Amino acid sequence: MKIVMIAGDGIGPEISVATKEVLEAANKIFKLNLTIEDEIAGHESLKKYGSTVTAELLKKVNAADGLILGPMSTYDFKDESKGEINPSKFFRKSLDLYANIRPAKTYPGLKSPVHDFDLVVVRENTEGFYADRNMEEGNGEILVTPDVAISLRRITRQCCERIARSAFELARSRKKHVTIVHKANVLKIADGMFIKICHDVAKEFPEVKVDDFIVDAMAAHLVRAPQNFDVIVTTNMFGDILSDLTAELSGSLGLAASVNAGLNHAMAQAAHGSAPDIAGKNIANPFSLILSTALLLEWHSHRSNKPEFALAAKSIMLAAEQAILAQNVTADIGGNLGTTQVGSALAKRLYSIEILD
Ligand code: NAD
């Protein structure tokens, strides 16, 4: 498996070093025959090449089996004509990574303000309320007068269908329950279409229970009783927001893992941003990117029918659970280790993990 790894901005380089150490250990233990190629994007690329991402980089990623993208300081990138392109959008759109899979759960030994839960947010990734990706040409935000701005939200049948199918397929291998989250009370046409298509797709999965909630109420239900949910399917921005909530409910945004998957490509990416407030301090939690990388290995296992990758993924997840229980973790989840120490300790722990199937 050939992986392109991009460290990213802010805390990206720190959490990437820790992730690489774990990945290299997994490579040795499970004989994955990995090649890891380091590349740059974001501020480093802007400085060097005049653009946060380049066509050359996309070529390399296209030729690889997977990408690990560190967090990007997207808010800094305001003008595409100056090379300030949002790298997340760039890869999600260019590689058609339409399903953003964001699991969140509570861990033994880690205090959470809510009841124990284990759920996955399945977020549409290629359209919705994201002005930089919902137009064929141009941008979905318009300044009508200096005092009037319009942002457009695009919802299409094709994107609704494929994200719904991803969610129901995932639910089939879990607790067989899909919750559709929408705002069809206000966005009657667009979210009306989303919810109808999700219910239509549900008919292909009679073994999966389905229900639906309006997004604002869903935020309350997630805090009140997250244990009632299994797979949550929703549009782009709602998924982005709710998954930060579920990550924090699990203990920390530093646990927010995600994989962006399409038919032929996948990208591991922590759900959080570049966290400039803690960058360079060696205190960022690397589990978000490490667990995202495990999700990428799992994706590759299914795609290429290579069970050793699924075993490596499962072992990394189990090692992380054990590390949390032993408090070999960063301060955000109750430990006193630095980012790089957490990576080294986890890599070491991986050698002693036994998976009993
Ligand atoms: P953020 O997600 O970077 O940080 C929010 C809070 O969570 C901060 O207090 C931060 O310190 C904390 N946090 C985040 N990751 C952590 C980790 N691994 N360990 C411990 N604590 C962690 O959100 P923000 O500050 O609003 O955004 C910063 C930048 O990141 C902005 O430029 C934004 O556009 C960008 N961003 C990028 C992505 C991405 O690359 N996928 C996602 C979200 C935000």
Side-chain angles (χ1 to χ4, degrees):
M1 182 186 190
K2 192 170 164 189
I3 293 179
V4 172
M5 189 158 187
I6 296 171
D9 298 319
I11 58 170
E14 298 157 71
I15 63 173
S16 294
V17 165
T19 301
K20 202 168 183 186
E21 195 169 348
V22 174
L23 190 57
E24 277 168 352
N27 188 23
K28 270 192 207 140
I29 299 165
F30 300 98
K31 300 185 177 47
L32 303 180
N33 198 17
L34 286 182
T35 316
I36 307 169
E37 190 182 317
D38 290 305
E39 295 291 342
I40 59 168
H43 274 295
E44 205 183 343
S45 175
L46 188 63
K47 213 164 150 194
K48 191 167 174 188
Y49 302 120
S51 181
T52 51
V53 282
T54 61
E56 199 52 40
L57 174 62
L58 183 60
K59 231 186 252 172
K60 286 178 184 164
V61 172
N62 243 315
D65 299 294
L67 168 65
I68 300 172
L69 182 66
M72 293 288 153
S73 289
T74 327
Y75 198 38
D76 298 348
F77 309 140
K78 306 220 188 298
D79 189 347
E80 290 208 348
S81 70
K82 292 183 183 151
E84 297 172 0
I85 298 159
N86 171 0
S88 296
K89 179 275 301 220
F90 178 74
F91 291 116
R92 287 170 183 170
K93 258 318 236 195
S94 309
L95 303 173
D96 202 20
L97 307 175
Y98 60 87
N100 191 192
I101 310 292
R102 295 185 158 187
K105 63 175 189 172
T106 42
Y107 290 89
L110 181 56
K111 242 178 129 179
S112 158
V114 292
H115 195 284
D116 286 352
F117 70 91
D118 182 347
L119 57 79
V120 183
V121 175
V122 174
R123 163 197 177 197
E124 203 290 323
N125 227 2
T126 51
E127 56 174 18
F129 223 147
Y130 281 73
D132 62 356
R133 73 200 63 170
N134 62 17
M135 295 281 163
E136 179 65 31
E137 238 183 85
N139 189 295
E141 274 201 310
I142 306 149
L143 192 63
V144 184
T145 75
D147 301 319
V148 179
I150 294 177
S151 304
L152 297 173
R153 177 173 184 267
R154 187 182 72 161
I155 300 293
T156 62
R157 174 169 295 279
Q158 183 213 9
C159 291
C160 294
E161 264 176 22
R162 64 186 185 174
I163 199 64
R165 201 155 278 120
S166 297
F168 281 96
E169 277 165 7
L170 179 63
R172 204 155 48 181
S173 65
R174 290 178 46 94
K175 290 174 274 174
K176 300 183 177 51
H177 176 194
V178 170
T179 301
I180 305 160
V181 175
H182 62 92
K183 187 76 185 170
N185 53 332
V186 174
L187 301 166
K188 292 183 198 296
I189 298 174
D191 269 14
M193 183 164 92
F194 175 71
I195 193 172
K196 173 161 189 326
I197 291 170
C198 286
H199 278 295
D200 285 348
V201 170
K203 290 178 194 147
E204 296 168 29
F205 299 84
E207 73 277 33
V208 178
K209 177 184 143 189
V210 58
D211 50 19
D212 55 71
F213 287 88
I214 294 171
V215 64
D216 33 348
M218 186 65 186
H221 284 293
L222 279 171
V223 175
R224 190 189 296 167
Q227 71 277 13
N228 290 350
F229 301 99
D230 176 23
V231 174
I232 294 163
V233 65
T234 190
T235 50
N236 201 341
M237 192 169 283
F238 297 159
D240 196 13
I241 296 168
L242 289 181
S243 58
D244 266 32
L245 173 67
T246 54
E248 194 64 28
L249 290 177
S250 81
S252 168
L253 197 47
L255 292 168
S258 94
V259 69
N260 302 265
L263 294 179
N264 301 310
H265 297 277
M267 169 171 88
Q269 188 183 30
H272 59 70
S274 57
D277 54 336
I278 56 167
K281 296 182 179 165
N282 196 35
I283 58 170
N285 189 343
F287 278 6
S288 51
L289 195 60
I290 292 170
L291 294 171
S292 302
T293 299
L295 294 172
L296 177 65
L297 297 180
E298 200 175 54
W299 175 85
H300 185 69
S301 174
H302 291 306
R303 179 171 169 257
S304 57
N305 204 15
K306 289 181 177 158
E308 65 272 26
F309 284 87
L311 193 62
K314 213 169 169 183
S315 302
I316 293 170
M317 291 173 191
L318 191 60
E321 277 176 29
Q322 290 183 3
I324 289 171
L325 195 57
Q327 293 201 312
N328 287 146
V329 290
T330 43
D332 59 311
I333 50 172
N336 58 9
L337 297 189
T339 310
T340 41
Q341 285 171 295
V342 167
S344 304
L346 198 69
K348 210 166 142 199
R349 188 179 287 277
L350 207 50
Y351 283 92
S352 59
I353 288 288
E354 269 184 59
I355 299 275
L356 301 172
D357 262 326

